[in-house]
Amino acid sequence: MIRRGFVDDKIGLKYGAGGRAMRALIERVCLAGIGPAPVDGIGLAAMDDGAALRIGDRWLVITTDSHVVHPIVFPGGDIGRLAVSGTVNDLAVMGATEPLALTCAIIMEEGFARTDLERIYASIHEACHEAGATIVTGDTKVMGRGEIDGLVLNTAGVALCDRVVPDSGLKPGDLLILTGTVGDHGMAIMAARHKLALEGDLRSDVAPINGLVRAALEAGGLDVVAMKDPTRGGVSSALHEMAEKSGVGIIVEEMKVPVRNQVRAACDLLGIDPLVVANEGKALIGVRASAAEDVLAAIRRHPLGSDAAIVGRCIEQHVGAVILDTGLGRRMLAEPEGELLPRIC
């Protein structure tokens, strides 16, 4: 459903940072006049993590993403690892966990160091190896000094799968599994960018999680009904999208949301809710209640899923809303306008 939310006459940074503002921009501008969705498929209007086209009795899933993170090297990763992981994860949460191929286009600023480019490409190849993916084509452009800030990467990916899992398949009674701790990527970027002297080892969670998602699908089968990776706008933005598209309300038990101590300490110090901070190696997985424990156990057996937890459940009331149960009471969780930091992924 297109809501046509308010959009300013001049496009600010918040419109590229996930959350309610970016959704409003896409709905008002990008979807205006768009053609019909592929027959029996998923197109742009669904605003899911990718598109799905029926090919015989299978699905071809396609996704693309541009990466403008600053700094381009950060604790736990760099823009190359981020680009591969972001695209692989977008495919995975559509149910396509075995990428056929990726593309990689690069735009560099004049004067960019060759050694830095070599490091980024080494990271790209390493992340591809982890994901079982490969780069099959690309493009290279160089712009004048000052015309672009360093380096921008665009990646696209394609994969085949037998069943597409949208982000809109939730029903009342379904449970939501979060595959690990939240806020690691966003707080690591924030600390690195602003050289914050925070205690603890803040590191991004950036990683391809197609293997973890595959384990969840193998354990849950058709009872895995919705998935989304909570990147820009964090868990809060992802849950609001899933609730609105599915026509349900969601109750989140705050005490069950896994947060690393160093991330929680940094968030407390800066007055930030970990639920609105970006992640780059996590997924929200909606499952029928009868299968939830089996899916959770399979995720926890994966090396990237040891901190997974069931954090929420779907209800009939409060359609499109996310309610936070703090253990002492309940309050409505607001959908973030955008990401706290621009250029985070």
Side-chain angles (χ1 to χ4, degrees), residues 22-286:
M22 194 179 79
R23 280 209 287 161
L25 175 67
I26 294 172
E27 289 165 350
R28 178 167 290 274
V29 177
C30 304
L31 299 185
I34 195 171
V39 176
D40 197 25
I42 296 175
L44 181 61
M47 296 178 65
D48 210 325
D49 292 283
L53 310 175
R54 181 178 285 282
I55 306 292
D57 59 354
R58 304 197 76 191
W59 294 93
L60 178 68
V61 179
I62 309 169
T63 191
T64 186
D65 205 350
S66 295
H67 307 273
V68 292
V69 66
H70 176 77
I72 61 172
V73 178
F74 47 83
D78 57 43
I79 191 172
R81 181 174 181 80
L82 185 67
V84 172
S85 300
T87 296
V88 168
N89 294 348
D90 280 347
L91 292 173
V93 294
M94 296 287 292
T97 61
E98 298 181 13
L100 288 173
L102 305 183
T103 72
C104 182
I106 181 169
I107 306 174
M108 290 173 286
E109 181 184 22
E110 177 187 17
F112 194 82
R114 179 176 59 83
T115 53
D116 289 341
L117 184 61
E118 290 172 342
R119 170 179 175 164
I120 297 302
Y121 262 91
S123 184
I124 287 173
H125 296 319
E126 181 179 341
C128 280
H129 179 73
E130 292 177 32
T134 186
I135 304 288
V136 296
T137 189
D139 183 51
T140 303
K141 296 288 190 302
V142 178
M143 298 184 69
R145 196 179 299 272
E147 295 178 350
I148 187 175
D149 185 11
L151 181 74
V152 175
L153 292 181
N154 175 274
T155 47
V158 294
L160 288 168
C161 64
D162 295 326
R163 183 173 75 97
V164 174
V165 182
D167 59 5
S168 57
L170 298 172
K171 293 182 179 180
D174 291 342
L175 301 180
L176 285 153
I177 297 173
L178 187 55
T179 64
T181 56
V182 302
D184 301 82
H185 179 71
M187 295 312 297
I189 295 292
M190 184 176 292
R193 184 182 303 178
H194 297 294
K195 297 181 172 57
L196 301 178
L198 300 173
E199 293 185 1
D201 182 23
L202 287 172
R203 297 178 63 81
S204 170
D205 60 343
V206 59
I209 57 168
N210 54 320
L212 180 150
V213 173
R214 187 183 307 127
L217 291 170
E218 289 174 352
L222 296 177
D223 288 329
V224 175
V225 293
M227 295 193 288
K228 198 163 193 65
D229 57 339
T231 54
R232 291 171 296 176
V235 168
S236 175
S237 182
L239 287 175
H240 276 91
E241 279 197 59
M242 298 175 83
E244 181 181 319
K245 293 177 181 178
S246 301
V248 300
I250 293 177
I251 296 177
V252 176
E253 296 186 53
E254 185 175 31
M255 300 300 291
K256 293 185 177 178
V257 175
V259 185
R260 295 190 193 283
N261 290 336
Q262 52 269 46
V263 171
R264 186 179 298 283
C267 286
D268 287 346
L269 180 65
L270 298 173
I272 297 171
D273 186 345
L275 291 173
V276 303
V277 180
N279 315 273
E280 287 295 342
K282 302 295 172 0
L284 280 161
I285 300 179

